[in-house]
Amino acid sequence: MSNIVLLLSTDQQNKVKSYYANSAVERKAPGVIFAAKLPDTAITVYKSGKVMFQGSGATREASRWGEVKETSSNSSTANDSNKIIKTKGDILPEKFATLSVLGSDETGTGDYFGPITVAAVYVPKEKIELIYELGVKDSKMLTDQIMLKIAPDIMAVCPHSILTLRNDKYNAIQAKGYSQGKIKAMLHNQALKHVLTKIEPETPEYILIDQFAERNIYYNHIKNEKAIVRENVLFSTKAEQLHVAVAAASILARYAFLKEMDKLSKTVGMNLQKGASGKVDEMAARIWLKHGEETLKSISKWHFANTEKARKLVNKSK
């Protein structure tokens, strides 16, 4: 077990800082208020109250401060009840978080407006500490503004690939019968191929894909591709918490998504709503009325239920 996160009270955090004071190190990263480095464990305290333990001694050190439930070797971090979050997927090698890994992740799949973006990032073991120093962690713990800020730093130090599937192409492919799962699998495979080519002859010890489909389903989706990445590929849910390479990939995917959303927002003259809520229906209807159906289609995932909901709103307003 190599990554554990506990949510601790302010009093507990102060005790952690006092206990590890002699091992304290400076870590200039967003949200970090204290960091310490032991021979086998890195301890990081965040403003949010979360304390991360990384390394072969993570279980030992985390057990001093909260309940650490032994589950399986592919369990990673802790939830708000100080229990490790279970992940689904492959069992990871020991000390996985310290290995050289090529990770991939995607975003935008649940958003009506905007593209699907996929990123792959290679983080060799000697750069893991640097990536943490840049502020990389689970993107769910970061704001969009922080991700926009640190993404260029990640791109500057790590081999990477970012793919943006814009709405016109997405709608055309989807209309041919391609499921989102197939589309994502094709994009992940392509992004991974790009990075593997960039780092040749070096190879990652492992490749970790943030799991959105079972292994056999994933490979069935891409069975007709000319080149398929298979060697040392692992799948796991919550992969951002298992290796910093996937966390970095998630940030770059989000960065690309936000940049494209900014462009689309300028096209229609309003800041596009993320997600697929009722607010999105209302915004879609306004765009439809103001710019027409084709413009709305060009910036949205047309097959989403939001389209018909927006159509009803448009018809009501006439």
Side-chain angles (χ1 to χ4, degrees):
M1 191 178 300
S2 52
N3 284 269
I4 298 172
V5 175
L6 301 178
L7 182 65
L8 303 181
S9 66
T10 301
D11 182 56
Q12 287 175 307
Q13 290 174 56
N14 289 334
K15 289 179 180 178
V16 168
K17 288 187 277 186
S18 176
Y19 186 86
Y20 297 110
N22 291 335
S23 302
V25 294
E26 187 175 358
R27 185 160 292 169
K28 295 179 180 178
V32 174
I33 58 175
F34 176 81
K37 182 77 172 178
L38 304 182
D40 61 357
T41 313
I43 300 99
T44 309
V45 182
Y46 296 95
K47 289 179 182 178
S48 64
K50 291 185 178 180
V51 181
M52 180 180 288
F53 300 84
Q54 298 167 293
S56 60
T59 300
R60 180 193 68 239
E61 296 305 319
S63 296
R64 301 179 191 277
W65 312 103
E67 180 186 354
V68 178
K69 266 196 171 181
E70 294 293 341
T71 50
S72 62
S73 61
N74 66 325
S75 294
S76 172
T77 57
N79 61 18
D80 291 353
S81 300
N82 290 2
K83 295 178 182 178
I84 297 170
I85 296 175
K86 291 184 179 180
T87 62
K88 294 180 181 179
D90 295 321
I91 294 176
L92 305 182
E94 289 187 13
K95 301 182 181 180
F96 183 76
T98 67
L99 303 179
S100 297
V101 171
L102 168 56
S104 64
D105 201 359
E106 84 286 328
T107 195
T109 57
D111 295 272
Y112 178 65
F113 295 118
I116 287 179
T117 55
V118 172
V121 178
Y122 176 52
V123 181
K125 60 180 67 175
E126 63 270 16
K127 286 186 178 181
I128 290 175
E129 202 63 36
L130 171 60
I131 294 302
Y132 279 119
E133 292 291 343
L134 294 177
V136 175
K137 54 184 173 180
D138 185 344
S139 64
K140 297 177 186 64
M141 299 170 66
L142 300 173
T143 65
D144 285 347
Q145 288 307 308
I146 290 177
M147 286 188 276
L148 286 169
K149 182 178 179 181
I150 66 178
D153 294 332
I154 298 169
M155 291 187 280
V157 300
C158 288
H160 64 278
S161 174
I162 303 174
L163 302 178
T164 300
L165 181 64
R166 294 181 172 83
N167 296 101
D168 54 350
K169 193 166 184 179
Y170 172 88
N171 288 330
I173 295 172
Q174 192 278 330
K176 292 180 180 179
Y178 283 49
S179 66
Q180 259 203 12
K182 184 176 180 68
I183 292 170
K184 288 191 288 184
M186 293 171 67
L187 291 171
H188 274 265
N189 186 62
Q190 187 176 349
L192 293 171
K193 285 191 298 183
H194 287 171
V195 178
L196 289 171
T197 299
K198 287 181 180 181
I199 66 175
E200 286 180 342
E202 185 176 358
T203 58
E205 292 176 86
Y206 290 96
I207 294 170
L208 180 61
I209 298 174
D210 190 46
Q211 184 173 309
F212 55 86
E214 297 290 335
R215 176 185 293 274
N216 61 328
I217 295 173
Y218 174 88
Y219 282 113
N220 186 57
H221 283 322
I222 58 174
K223 62 185 179 183
N224 294 324
E225 294 295 288
K226 290 182 179 179
I228 299 174
V229 178
R230 293 182 183 273
E231 189 174 355
N232 295 326
V233 174
L234 299 170
F235 295 83
S236 181
T237 60
K238 301 184 178 72
E240 292 178 64
Q241 300 171 19
L242 300 176
H243 199 283
V244 70
V246 181
S250 178
I251 290 169
L252 294 195
R254 185 67 176 174
Y255 171 84
F257 175 79
L258 293 171
K259 287 292 188 180
E260 182 67 13
M261 284 287 275
D262 283 345
K263 291 179 183 177
L264 298 179
S265 294
K266 290 176 182 177
T267 298
V268 296
M270 61 183 79
N271 291 324
L272 293 174
Q273 184 81 27
K274 300 178 184 71
S277 66
K279 290 182 179 179
V280 170
D281 302 338
E282 294 169 4
M283 178 168 282
R286 291 202 302 274
I287 294 169
W288 198 327
L289 288 167
K290 184 177 180 180
H291 298 285
E293 180 177 328
E294 286 306 309
T295 296
L296 176 61
K297 187 173 184 179
S298 71
I299 63 170
S300 69
K301 299 177 183 72
W302 195 244
H303 67 106
F304 275 29
N306 303 85
T307 297
E308 288 309 309
K309 293 176 182 177
R311 189 190 302 276
K312 290 178 182 178
L313 291 173
V314 169
N315 291 334
K316 281 183 181 180
S317 67
K318 290 181 179 178

